[in-house]
């Protein structure tokens, strides 16, 4: 009996916390699969619902309309009901949304399904970071943020590879049925394995994201965050540096590669997978390197500069062959892997007790890129095209149309790099420790 307990205790202290965090990562993978799926189904969706590029961008952005504003209340909901129940319920909501999307026979119903998917998936990334903050030491936070993004990118790569073939064979509705089943299984796994907090919470009592807040404290925290100029700067920079993912990888990349470079859907998905692979490798590596050198701004700025340069090569340099595209897109993904450092910056720029809310606000601001630019690219395509109408009276978009519309990506990344000059380095520590009592001291005095 003693030997059994001696074996179980190290497992509980070392392996089991990571197992719980991995459950959150799997939900983020599922979220990423659902997020990027419309890019593979561009032709099928436009034909099925008879929609233009602007409407296609709007259909995809229904996801973000629910996902983005839910980032801040998600933290409070986790505090109120616990990560275990909320994470499992959120997964089921995403599954229901996917079922609605599959069965939709009109644009409005498909949009409602995408909205429900975004509503459920809004809890994925924050939930994973919440679990990491409760179950793992604080110095693993940036590593987990990078690793979670990397695993999500893996899911995105597999999604595009799998769906590209299956959608062309059996159609998008049949292709997504297996994802419904996978979501149900995942929600059951979460409810069985995830626990809200360790039995010995004293060991992690300095871990800030597990501190619950009531509505009054949340309002106070939000006021502090939104009146902090550095938070706006971090959010805008994160939004702009994430455009290669939120606009290109998530939605418009495959149509662009098919039109501009004359690739098949399978070739275009394969090239995008190389971008995912670069992101997958660099995310945890750069997160670890940043923790090691105790710097956030320098890795973010340097990698962003190279990403902007490579994007300009893709969009504006003619004569690039397919082999070169594989290499360039891998390098773009690798350079963009520093993006999760924005979460660490958001966490460290504000007082310790509100860093959970800070991370949620950072994620909300970053995801605004999808809300704003996915439909804008569609609108620019419709405004720029001069080609005659094609099948079913829908516009046909030529290579110059895609290049014009997607120029917002390298321009946005370049602007993000310029703004990063004004970021203040945090040195991997909270830079507002003196302000901690401003949130909790009034409530403590009331109790007295």
């Amino acid at each position: 009996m003693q030997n059994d307990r001696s074996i179980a205790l190290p497992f509980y202290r070392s392996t089991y916390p990571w197992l719980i965090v991995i459950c959150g990562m799997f939900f983020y993978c599922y979220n990423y699969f659902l997020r990027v799926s419309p890019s593979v189904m561009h032709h099928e969706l436009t034909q099925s619902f008879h929609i233009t590029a602007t409407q296609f961008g709007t259909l995809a952005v229904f996801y973000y309309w629910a996902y983005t504003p839910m980032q801040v209340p998600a933290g409070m909901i986790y505090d109120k009901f616990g990560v275990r129940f909320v994470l499992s319920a959120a997964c089921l909501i995403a599954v229901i949304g996917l079922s609605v999307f599959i069965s939709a026979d009109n644009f409005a119903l498909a949009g409602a399904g995408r909205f429900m998917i975004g509503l459920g998936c809004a809890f994925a990334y924050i939930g994973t970071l919440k679990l990491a903050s409760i179950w793992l030491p604080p110095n693993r936070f940036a590593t987990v943020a990078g690793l979670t993004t990397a695993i999500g990118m893996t899911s995105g790569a597999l999604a595009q590879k799998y769906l590209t073939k299956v959608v062309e064979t059996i159609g998008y509705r049949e292709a997504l049925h297996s994802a419904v089943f996978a979501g149900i299984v995942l929600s059951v796994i979460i409810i069985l394995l995830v626990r809200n907090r360790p039995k010995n919470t004293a060991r992690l009592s300095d871990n800030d994201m597990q501190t619950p807040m009531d509505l009054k404290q949340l309002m106070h925290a939000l006021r502090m965050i939104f009146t902090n100029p550095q938070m706006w700067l971090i959010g805008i920079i994160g939004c702009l540096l994430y455009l290669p993912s939120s606009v290109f990888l998530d939605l418009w990349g495959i149509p662009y590669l098919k039109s501009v470079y004359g690739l098949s859907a399978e070739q275009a998905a394969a090239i995008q997978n190389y971008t995912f692979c670069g992101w997958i490798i660099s995310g945890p590596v750069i997160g670890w390197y940043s923790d090691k050198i105790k710097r956030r701004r320098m890795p973010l700025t340097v990698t962003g500069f190279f990403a902007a340069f490579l994007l300009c090569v893709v969009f504006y340099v003619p004569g690039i062959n397919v082999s070169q595209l594989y290499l360039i897109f891998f390098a773009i993904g690798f350079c963009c892997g520093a993006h999760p450092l924005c979460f660490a910056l958001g966490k460290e720029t504000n007082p310790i007790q509100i860093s959970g809310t800070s991370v949620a606000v950072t994620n909300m601001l970053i995801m605004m890129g999808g809300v704003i630019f996915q439909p804008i690219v569609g609108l620019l395509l419709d405004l720029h095209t001069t080609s005659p109408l094609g099948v079913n009276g829908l516009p046909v978009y030529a290579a110059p149309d895609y290049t014009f519309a997607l120029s917002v990506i390298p321009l946005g990344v370049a602007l993000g790099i310029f703004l990063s000059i004004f970021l203040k380095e945090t040195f991997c520590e909270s830079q507002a420790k003196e302000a901690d009592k401003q949130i909790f001291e009034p409530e403590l005095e009331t109790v007295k």
Side-chain angles (χ1 to χ4, degrees), residues 145-178:
L147 187 61
T148 302
T149 302
I151 293 176
M153 293 289 178
T154 304
S155 174
L158 294 176
Q160 293 190 340
K161 182 177 181 180
Y162 161 76
L163 285 176
T164 299
K165 295 180 179 179
V166 179
V167 167
E168 290 181 344
T169 304
I170 61 176
Y172 76 91
R173 288 186 171 91
E174 290 74 12
L176 290 175
H177 276 123
S178 59

Side-chain angles (χ1 to χ4, degrees), residues 291-304:
D291 285 339
K292 183 178 177 61
I293 66 172
K294 296 188 179 299
R295 296 291 187 276
R296 307 297 193 201
R297 186 178 65 178
M298 184 273 288
L300 200 64
T301 304
V302 172
T303 56

Side-chain angles (χ1 to χ4, degrees), residues 418-448:
F418 171 75
L419 293 176
S420 68
I421 297 172
F422 305 98
L423 276 177
K424 293 181 181 178
E425 183 58 72
T426 62
F427 305 102
C428 301
E429 296 179 357
S430 175
Q431 300 301 299
K433 293 179 180 179
E434 300 82 0
D436 293 352
K437 294 181 180 180
Q438 293 181 17
I439 298 177
F440 297 100
E441 191 169 14
E443 285 73 12
L444 294 175
E445 290 177 353
T446 302
V447 173
K448 293 178 182 179

Side-chain angles (χ1 to χ4, degrees), residues 45 48-49 95-114 116-117 172-174 176-177 180:
L45 292 175
S48 178
F49 299 117
V95 169
I96 294 171
L98 180 59
S99 300
V100 172
F101 180 78
I102 291 173
S103 61
D105 58 0
N106 59 75
F107 179 85
L109 191 58
R114 287 290 294 173
M116 289 186 67
I117 291 172
Y172 76 91
R173 288 186 171 91
E174 290 74 12
L176 290 175
H177 276 123
V180 173

Side-chain angles (χ1 to χ4, degrees), residues 271-301:
I271 288 176
Q272 287 221 142
N273 284 350
Y274 270 69
T275 312
F276 284 121
C277 289
W279 213 308
I280 290 164
I281 294 171
S282 69
V285 170
I286 294 177
W288 169 83
Y289 178 71
S290 174
D291 285 339
K292 183 178 177 61
I293 66 172
K294 296 188 179 299
R295 296 291 187 276
R296 307 297 193 201
R297 186 178 65 178
M298 184 273 288
L300 200 64
T301 304

Side-chain angles (χ1 to χ4, degrees), residues 177-369:
H177 276 123
S178 59
V180 173
F181 176 75
I184 295 172
V185 172
L186 179 58
S187 66
V188 173
I189 291 174
I190 291 171
I191 204 70
L192 291 176
L193 292 182
V194 172
R195 294 295 178 267
N196 288 330
R197 62 185 65 252
K199 294 179 180 178
N200 182 15
T201 56
R203 182 173 61 87
L204 295 173
S205 60
D206 60 336
N207 217 324
D208 40 274
M209 279 187 70
Q210 64 178 321
T211 304
M213 289 191 293
D214 56 29
L215 184 59
K216 181 179 178 181
Q217 290 171 325
L218 177 64
M219 292 299 104
H220 194 147
L222 291 176
R223 184 163 63 251
M224 292 185 65
I225 291 169
F226 284 113
T227 55
N228 183 347
Q230 281 293 303
M231 272 301 295
W232 283 103
L233 195 58
I234 292 166
I236 293 172
I237 291 171
C239 170
L240 294 173
L241 295 185
Y242 198 58
L243 290 181
S245 177
S246 62
V247 176
F248 195 83
L249 293 180
D250 287 7
L251 193 63
W252 292 108
I254 289 178
Y256 169 83
L257 291 170
K258 288 169 64 178
S259 176
V260 175
Y261 290 97
L263 304 179
S264 66
E266 190 172 342
Q267 285 178 309
I271 288 176
Q272 287 221 142
N273 284 350
Y274 270 69
T275 312
F276 284 121
C277 289
W279 213 308
I280 290 164
I281 294 171
S282 69
V285 170
I286 294 177
W288 169 83
Y289 178 71
S290 174
D291 285 339
K292 183 178 177 61
I293 66 172
K294 296 188 179 299
R295 296 291 187 276
R296 307 297 193 201
R297 186 178 65 178
M298 184 273 288
L300 200 64
T301 304
V302 172
T303 56
F305 172 81
F306 285 106
F309 172 77
L310 291 170
L311 285 165
C312 288
V313 171
V314 170
F315 286 113
Y316 307 123
V317 175
I320 301 176
N321 60 45
V322 175
S323 299
Q324 292 170 330
L325 283 176
Y326 280 104
L327 180 61
I328 292 172
F329 274 95
F330 176 86
I332 290 172
F334 190 90
C335 292
C336 291
H339 151 264
L341 296 181
C342 293
F343 294 103
L345 280 166
K347 176 175 177 281
E348 294 157 0
T349 300
N350 291 282
I352 291 175
Q353 275 81 357
I354 64 170
S355 62
T357 308
S358 303
V359 171
V361 171
T362 303
N363 198 33
M364 182 186 72
L365 294 174
I366 288 173
M367 300 312 293
M368 286 299 295

